[in-house]
Amino acid sequence: MAQKAGVSTALVSFVLNGQGHKYRVKEETAEYILNVAREMNYQPNIAAKKLRSGRSETIGVVVPDISNPFFAHIVRCMEDWASQRGYVAFFGSSDENTQKTQSIVSSLINRGVDGLILVPTEHSEELVSSLLKGNTPIVLLDRPIRDLNVSSVALNNFQAAYVATEHLVKNGYRNIGMIGYDIALSHMQDRLRGYRKAMDDNGLYDLINIGYFKYVNSARTVSRVIQKMFASGVEALLFGTNTISIAGMYYLIEAGIRVPDELGVVGFDGGEAFDFFNPSVTYVRQPIEVLAQKSVDILLDAITSSNVSIQSVQVEGELVVQASSRPR
Amino acid sequence: MAQKAGVSTALVSFVLNGQGHKYRVKEETAEYILNVAREMNYQPNIAAKKLRSGRSETIGVVVPDISNPFFAHIVRCMEDWASQRGYVAFFGSSDENTQKTQSIVSSLINRGVDGLILVPTEHSEELVSSLLKGNTPIVLLDRPIRDLNVSSVALNNFQAAYVATEHLVKNGYRNIGMIGYDIALSHMQDRLRGYRKAMDDNGLYDLINIGYFKYVNSARTVSRVIQKMFASGVEALLFGTNTISIAGMYYLIEAGIRVPDELGVVGFDGGEAFDFFNPSVTYVRQPIEVLAQKSVDILLDAITSSNVSIQSVQVEGELVVQASSRPR
DNA sequence: CTGAAAGCGCTTACAG
DNA sequence: CTGAAAGCGCTTACAG
């Protein structure tokens, strides 16, 4: 490129990085270089750039599973938003496994990503805090870790679960159960708190009824849990996540439980499955685009400015009322 | 790393790249270096590696939309398979737009990917053939381009549509329509051919009835097309892709058309939507894992060996029969 | 068998 | 205002 234009590589670099003014490059020279670059469709070699300056205009994103509809959509929004800002993203799936997160993360850092967006797995506090000591900026998504000095973007999970539960109460359901994961992650804890608080506030403290199961084999264990809760007289269920909702719906079809006559249902996140289930399922919609854009913005800010201020963003969900929670 | 071990960087490089034998490095030295590397968890800098040797152990994958369930699953399988082989992948979404494909591709090449897996968009023959002139290996996925000398992995689309159509015929449907995209891409053309051939072979040539619409606004245009075909007496519909199927199902619910009594339905690819729709929808299942693994394998072969042989793989679909195509 | 050295394509102080 | 030069961390002929 430099030889084609007949100038030094330094000049090319200055101009193409918008530092022309700073280095007082003559207007005409800058124009000329820009033209040559455009003409030959010049693309600077990112590997060389990375090696010298540490910047690759590349970020890494680790979610539990990119094929899960919720994360698939988030990841898609991130792709679009990052690309608008000149960045490209790697996406990896942790399967809720801290070990795997670790290995994906080091493989990404190794490949020179400028920053990371991470959906932390259970017991990953140590991993995250060791990452914080490095110089790769990081933003947590979906699940803040309270005691760590790290930026995060997440739903107001407490409020979301509260509203969902209260909606069921208002529609005449009293014996309302919730199904969640038995994990310490903040998003789940907050949702459980929201459910409990809503029950309590409505004088239903004695009817609080939580079913738990493990992430692995969710399809199988969810059946058992629902079966038990249904048998114990539950009138409505709040499914604590997207995955739980899907697994639960499969079971409800299999078991032939009539919704909402025998059992009211509210889930999380939405998607085609919620619309096609018969009757359509009420759910808490997360503002996926906002979550994606905010996390990318905060990360890129941390990368481009040396501004180290921590930002924690909480966004509000929206209850999309469908037929599965009709008044009884 | 080299200074820590007290040997030259050359030795480290030889040993870590498994070239120890070739360069006749002493067994003990090799062992020793391996140990030090393991101990300090040494990760070679990929940017430097790329700059010097041209290899980054990174591939790029461009699909129409990573949030589409079909591609989300394929992409997930690719991630797992590639990572087993020490590779990491970038994923990008083209939105069926050749311009966008172009810009994603150059951004990826620019970032030093060793190879590309590409779901080609309509009219991208030129783009692909210009890519072929470069030295980045490339594998087409889902949609082979016949006249180009390029490896590809795809479903046997002709056969899949043939089997799906014949299934409807056997179950007593005669006036069977198909809905597809009005595009020249091979996968769609082959599916249309399969449908036509099956109709013809069963003496239903006169009832061949194809509805087309554009990729954009599929939800809106699909309603009109279905409405028209339904009004004209169609007894069953074959939805030509996953996206069409989903859009179609939304319309069937909205219009209150009873499936399969008023209209038999068969779709493509499957997913939760097909299971939760009431009644559950018959579909052609693509062997997603095989598609993903094959395409990664062929690409990595092309990258690692200088073997330039072109491989075209066609895999067979499987008809998953559910309630939407019950015998009438 | 091992080390010294060149060079991949950039960015960035430094000198003029 | 512009150019020459160092150096990022590797790989790879080359010399010994």
Side-chain angles (χ1 to χ4, degrees), chain A residues 41 43-48 50-51 56-59 64-69 72-73 75-76 79-80 86-95 100 104 106-108 110-112 242 245-247 249-250 253 271-278, chain B residues 41 43-48 50-51 56-59 64-69 72-73 75-76 79-80 86-95 100 104 106-108 110-112 242 245-247 249-250 253 271-278:
Chain A
N41 189 25
Q43 302 275 21
N45 179 316
I46 300 270
K50 172 72 193 177
L51 190 57
S56 63
E57 268 92 68
T58 301
I59 63 174
D65 180 5
I66 41 170
S67 71
N68 168 311
H73 278 104
V75 147
R76 178 58 156 91
E79 182 203 336
D80 291 343
Y87 278 71
V88 167
F90 284 105
F91 300 108
S93 305
S94 69
D95 288 323
K100 207 163 170 184
I104 296 174
S106 56
S107 149
L108 293 182
N110 189 227
R111 271 174 181 75
N242 189 300
S245 307
I246 304 289
M249 289 189 252
Y250 269 113
I253 289 180
E272 288 143 7
F274 293 69
D275 297 333
F276 289 155
F277 189 86
N278 186 24
Chain B
N41 189 23
Q43 302 275 21
N45 180 316
I46 300 271
K50 172 71 194 178
L51 190 55
S56 63
E57 267 93 69
T58 301
I59 62 174
D65 180 4
I66 42 171
S67 71
N68 168 309
H73 279 105
V75 149
R76 179 58 156 91
E79 181 202 338
D80 291 343
Y87 279 70
V88 168
F90 283 106
F91 300 108
S93 305
S94 69
D95 288 324
K100 208 164 170 185
I104 296 174
S106 56
S107 151
L108 293 182
N110 188 225
R111 271 172 182 74
N242 189 301
S245 307
I246 304 288
M249 290 189 251
Y250 269 112
I253 290 180
E272 289 142 7
F274 292 70
D275 297 332
F276 289 155
F277 189 87
N278 186 22

Side-chain angles (χ1 to χ4, degrees), chain B residues 70-127:
Chain B
F70 174 64
F71 290 113
H73 279 105
I74 272 215
V75 149
R76 179 58 156 91
C77 291
M78 285 181 178
E79 181 202 338
D80 291 343
W81 195 243
S83 100
Q84 274 201 24
R85 301 195 50 175
Y87 279 70
V88 168
F90 283 106
F91 300 108
S93 305
S94 69
D95 288 324
E96 299 288 357
N97 180 328
T98 302
Q99 187 90 23
K100 208 164 170 185
T101 306
Q102 170 74 270
S103 92
I104 296 174
V105 163
S106 56
S107 151
L108 293 182
I109 289 181
N110 188 225
R111 271 172 182 74
V113 295
D114 295 341
L116 282 169
I117 295 175
L118 195 61
V119 177
T121 52
E122 200 183 13
H123 308 312
S124 60
E125 292 81 1
E126 268 184 52
L127 167 58

Side-chain angles (χ1 to χ4, degrees), chain A residues 109-129:
Chain A
I109 288 181
N110 189 227
R111 271 174 181 75
V113 295
D114 294 340
L116 282 169
I117 295 175
L118 196 60
V119 177
T121 52
E122 201 184 12
H123 308 311
S124 61
E125 291 82 1
E126 269 183 50
L127 167 59
V128 174
S129 69

Side-chain angles (χ1 to χ4, degrees), chain A residues 3-17:
Chain A
Q3 71 180 43
K4 186 135 191 172
V7 297
S8 75
T9 60
L11 234 26
V12 172
S13 176
F14 293 154
V15 172
L16 260 37
N17 288 307

Side-chain angles (χ1 to χ4, degrees), chain A residues 28 34 194 284 294 317-318:
Chain A
E28 311 146 38
L34 249 19
V284 175
K294 277 279 177 201
E318 176 201 355

Side-chain angles (χ1 to χ4, degrees), chain B:
Chain B
M1 163 70 208
Q3 71 181 42
K4 186 134 189 173
V7 297
S8 76
T9 60
L11 235 26
V12 172
S13 176
F14 292 154
V15 172
L16 261 37
N17 288 307
Q19 311 265 281
H21 187 67
K22 181 173 155 202
Y23 286 93
R24 283 161 299 174
V25 177
K26 221 194 292 179
E27 268 304 321
E28 312 148 38
T29 320
E31 283 292 328
Y32 170 67
I33 290 174
L34 248 21
N35 274 330
V36 176
R38 209 169 298 132
E39 204 171 288
M40 66 187 287
N41 189 23
Y42 171 73
Q43 302 275 21
N45 180 316
I46 300 271
K49 184 177 196 168
K50 172 71 194 178
L51 190 55
R52 177 60 227 242
S53 70
R55 293 285 204 71
S56 63
E57 267 93 69
T58 301
I59 62 174
V61 179
V62 185
V63 300
D65 180 4
I66 42 171
S67 71
N68 168 309
F70 174 64
F71 290 113
H73 279 105
I74 272 215
V75 149
R76 179 58 156 91
C77 291
M78 285 181 178
E79 181 202 338
D80 291 343
W81 195 243
S83 100
Q84 274 201 24
R85 301 195 50 175
Y87 279 70
V88 168
F90 283 106
F91 300 108
S93 305
S94 69
D95 288 324
E96 299 288 357
N97 180 328
T98 302
Q99 187 90 23
K100 208 164 170 185
T101 306
Q102 170 74 270
S103 92
I104 296 174
V105 163
S106 56
S107 151
L108 293 182
I109 289 181
N110 188 225
R111 271 172 182 74
V113 295
D114 295 341
L116 282 169
I117 295 175
L118 195 61
V119 177
T121 52
E122 200 183 13
H123 308 312
S124 60
E125 292 81 1
E126 268 184 52
L127 167 58
V128 173
S129 69
S130 79
L131 248 29
L132 254 29
K133 280 173 203 140
N135 36 23
T136 308
I138 166 170
V139 172
L140 299 186
L141 178 64
D142 192 43
R143 309 161 183 181
I145 299 182
R146 271 184 242 303
D147 307 329
L148 250 36
N149 200 28
V150 53
S151 292
S152 63
V153 176
L155 183 71
N156 183 340
N157 286 297
F158 173 83
Q159 184 65 15
Y162 190 97
V163 168
T165 307
E166 190 146 69
H167 160 76
L168 285 167
V169 174
K170 282 194 180 133
N171 276 3
Y173 300 88
R174 290 176 52 80
N175 200 333
I176 302 166
M178 172 163 178
I179 302 190
Y181 291 123
D182 185 13
I183 48 179
L185 289 168
S186 65
H187 73 310
M188 184 51 68
Q189 289 306 316
D190 289 352
R191 290 178 190 180
L192 290 169
R193 278 197 306 117
Y195 158 75
R196 280 203 199 88
K197 185 74 161 52
M199 291 294 276
D200 195 10
D201 288 355
N202 285 281
L204 301 171
Y205 184 85
D206 292 341
L207 294 173
I208 287 175
N209 183 355
I210 298 175
Y212 289 107
F213 63 96
K214 297 277 176 199
Y215 180 74
V216 284
N217 283 333
S218 44
R220 243 176 285 162
T221 59
V222 79
S223 323
R224 257 176 256 139
V225 176
I226 295 181
Q227 221 168 335
K228 217 181 66 188
M229 293 177 85
F230 189 60
S232 79
V234 157
E235 299 163 8
L237 276 178
L238 173 58
F239 291 131
T241 70
N242 189 301
T243 309
I244 296 175
S245 307
I246 304 288
M249 290 189 251
Y250 269 112
Y251 174 73
L252 294 178
I253 290 180
E254 186 194 316
I257 295 176
R258 283 176 300 122
V259 175
D261 300 338
E262 296 184 87
L263 187 73
V265 169
V266 175
F268 261 84
D269 301 345
E272 289 142 7
F274 292 70
D275 297 332
F276 289 155
F277 189 87
N278 186 22
S280 54
V281 175
T282 298
Y283 61 92
V284 175
R285 202 182 77 80
Q286 298 203 39
I288 288 187
E289 216 164 54
V290 177
L291 290 168
Q293 295 183 357
K294 277 281 175 200
S295 50
V296 169
D297 281 344
I298 292 177
L299 184 63
L300 296 194
D301 281 2
I303 291 170
T304 50
S305 74
S306 46
N307 173 3
V308 287
S309 82
I310 301 303
Q311 301 186 53
S312 291
V313 174
Q314 235 186 14
V315 301
E316 296 302 321
E318 175 201 356
L319 191 71
V320 177
V321 177
Q322 302 207 92
S324 70
S325 59
R326 265 195 305 258
R328 50 154 47 192

